[in-house]
């Protein structure tokens, strides 16, 4: 199984709830466990400007490239600095590379990405550029016919939902805490959860959603946002999933997709546990589940 990673994802953003050092910690942990070696990890490249313009308005891209504080960059809840903007531009290249490797091999894991609150014309949340949208758009161009985005981050994938609102080759699914940021957009399927939802209810609802997505939409490619923030000890949310519950969530998505011969492209999303060790464990569990279930027979489809 292959991984995509860049040390440039770690950026100094001052005191902030978003731990940009989690990427290195995940990489390091998986390397120590022998899941990552020098031969199965790949460095992303910065996308071309003309490709970025497929997902961004020109004025907004100009703001980003010139590090301008404007009405478009201001809502980001991140500092407007070159380091973090460049990291998120590179991250678009990272999710695209992950998608390409997924198409070749059946599965790939991006130690990064999931910036699903970014829109074509403005930043939001901690997101300047939506790497999920970028990867999906590029894969559609390369002949993938039906992509399902399975977004299991704590927060709704509002930027992704809005971008693909009228695109029927992409099915957007988001399962999230309902009474929380962001202002909701309309995904093809939304499951808004009440505060306090625990493993059992979460997994039941996910099972129902996957049956519908795999059965009715029948994708030939799946992008999975494996957010670590539905966790019981997350600082930003009020869902109550355990480490074990989140691992079962990963198994449900990944193994079911593999059984249906659907390639799975994983990106990370958020994770703000009180103890960063838990965030690392949740993200590493996703990789462990994937590595254990690999190799899929996805390419035979
Ligand atoms: Zn989130």
């Amino acid at each position: 199984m292959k991984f995509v990673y860049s040390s440039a994802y770690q950026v100094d953003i001052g005191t902030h709830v978003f731990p940009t050092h989690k990427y290195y910690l995940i990489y390091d942990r998986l390397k120590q466990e022998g899941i990552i070696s020098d031969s199965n990890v790949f460095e992303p490249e910065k996308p071309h400007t003309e490709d970025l313009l497929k997902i961004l308005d020109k004025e907004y891209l100009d703001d980003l490239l010139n590090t301008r504080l404007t009405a478009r960059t201001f809502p980001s809840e991140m500092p407007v600095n070159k380091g973090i903007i460049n990291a998120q531009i590179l991250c678009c290249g990272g999710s695209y590379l992950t998608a390409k490797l997924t198409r070749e091999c059946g599965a790939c894991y991006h130690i990064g990405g999931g910036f699903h609150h970014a829109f074509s014309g403005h930043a939001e949340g901690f997101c300047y550029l939506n790497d999920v949208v970028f990867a999906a758009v590029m894969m559609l161009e390369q002949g993938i016919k039906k992509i399902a985005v399975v977004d299991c981050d704590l927060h709704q994938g509002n930027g992704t939902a809005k971008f693909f609102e009228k695109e029927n080759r992409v099915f957007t699914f988001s399962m999230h805490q309902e009474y929380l940021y962001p202002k909701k957009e309309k995904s093809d399927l939304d499951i808004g959860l009440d505060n306090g939802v625990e493993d059992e209810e979460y997994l039941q609802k996910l099972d129902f959603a996957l049956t519908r997505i795999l059965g009715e939409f029948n994708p030939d490619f799946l992008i999975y946002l494996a957010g670590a923030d539905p966790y019981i000890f997350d600082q930003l949310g009020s869902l109550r999933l355990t480490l074990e519950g989140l691992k079962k969530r990963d198994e449900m998505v990944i193994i079911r997709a593999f059984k249906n011969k659907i390639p799975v492209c994983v990106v990370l999303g958020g994770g703000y546990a009180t103890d960063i060790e838990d965030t690392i464990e949740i993200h590493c569990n996703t990789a462990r589940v994937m590595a254990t279930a690999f190799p899929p027979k996805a390419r035979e489809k």
Side-chain angles (χ1 to χ4, degrees):
M1 195 185 112
K2 292 177 178 172
F3 291 83
V4 171
Y5 170 71
S6 170
S7 57
Y9 292 162
Q10 183 171 342
V11 181
D12 182 6
I13 51 171
T15 306
H16 199 288
V17 71
F18 193 100
T20 70
H21 58 302
K22 79 173 180 180
Y23 305 116
Y24 172 74
L25 295 173
I26 296 162
Y27 166 79
D28 187 53
R29 180 75 47 86
L30 294 173
K31 204 160 182 195
Q32 279 176 33
E33 292 177 16
I35 295 174
I36 289 183
S37 65
D38 290 339
S39 62
N40 72 349
V41 62
F42 297 82
E43 277 263 352
E45 285 175 11
K46 209 171 156 180
H48 298 298
T49 302
E50 67 260 31
D51 285 335
L52 288 174
L53 284 169
K54 291 168 185 165
I55 68 154
L56 296 175
D57 299 345
K58 192 174 180 318
E59 299 73 24
Y60 178 44
L61 181 58
D62 274 353
D63 288 349
L64 293 173
L65 296 177
N66 294 291
T67 331
R68 275 191 219 116
L69 181 61
T70 66
R72 294 178 281 263
T73 54
F74 176 73
S76 81
E77 296 181 55
M78 279 282 188
V80 185
N81 76 37
K82 255 199 165 24
I84 190 68
I85 291 171
N86 282 339
Q88 290 198 16
I89 290 174
L90 183 64
C91 193
C92 284
S95 287
Y96 174 37
L97 176 60
T98 309
K100 283 194 290 187
L101 293 170
T102 299
R103 192 184 195 185
E104 280 173 33
C105 313
C108 185
Y109 179 110
H110 187 192
I111 309 176
F115 293 101
H116 57 169
H117 301 308
F119 287 75
S120 298
H122 71 274
E124 240 196 68
F126 304 143
C127 311
Y128 282 113
L129 298 99
N130 193 324
D131 56 289
V132 178
V133 163
F134 185 72
V137 164
M138 296 301 284
M139 294 317 282
L140 288 176
E141 277 199 7
Q142 292 184 17
I144 299 264
K145 296 201 166 47
K146 286 160 91 180
I147 300 175
V149 177
V150 172
D151 188 334
C152 291
D153 191 88
L154 168 77
H155 304 92
Q156 193 210 28
N158 57 336
T160 314
K162 184 69 186 170
F163 191 91
F164 290 122
E165 205 172 22
K166 297 188 177 102
E167 171 57 81
N168 53 24
R169 293 173 297 170
V170 178
F171 188 100
T172 54
F173 164 57
S174 180
M175 186 150 121
H176 46 263
Q177 186 181 332
E178 182 66 19
Y179 305 107
L180 188 70
Y181 168 86
K183 180 174 168 288
K184 306 294 181 286
E185 297 290 343
K186 197 171 172 349
S187 312
D188 292 303
L189 177 60
D190 282 298
I191 298 183
L193 301 165
D194 286 334
N195 294 2
V197 161
E198 298 183 353
D199 293 348
E200 196 183 338
E201 181 181 346
Y202 187 98
L203 293 169
Q204 263 175 14
K205 288 187 168 162
L206 179 61
D207 186 45
F208 159 82
L210 289 171
T211 301
R212 192 176 144 191
I213 296 162
L214 301 184
E216 291 175 22
F217 182 68
N218 189 23
D220 44 23
F221 196 88
L222 193 148
I223 301 176
Y224 174 37
L225 271 90
D229 44 9
Y231 180 50
I232 183 168
F233 298 120
D234 194 88
Q235 299 173 76
L236 300 189
S238 309
L239 297 185
R240 297 178 57 83
L241 271 72
T242 63
L243 292 174
E244 197 48 42
L246 285 160
K247 193 174 180 190
K248 283 187 181 148
R249 171 198 71 169
D250 296 337
E251 286 169 350
M252 200 176 262
V253 176
I254 292 167
I255 295 174
R256 270 183 83 167
F258 283 175
K259 278 187 180 157
N260 284 273
K261 299 184 176 165
I262 301 164
V264 181
C265 169
V266 167
V267 300
L268 296 191
Y272 317 95
T274 322
D275 182 351
I276 190 165
E277 271 300 311
D278 292 344
T279 300
I280 304 311
E281 182 68 7
I282 294 163
H283 287 314
C284 285
N285 275 340
T286 310
R288 292 172 190 130
V289 165
M290 214 168 173
T292 306
F294 196 76
K297 298 285 183 199
R299 295 182 69 201
E300 289 171 16
K301 192 177 178 185

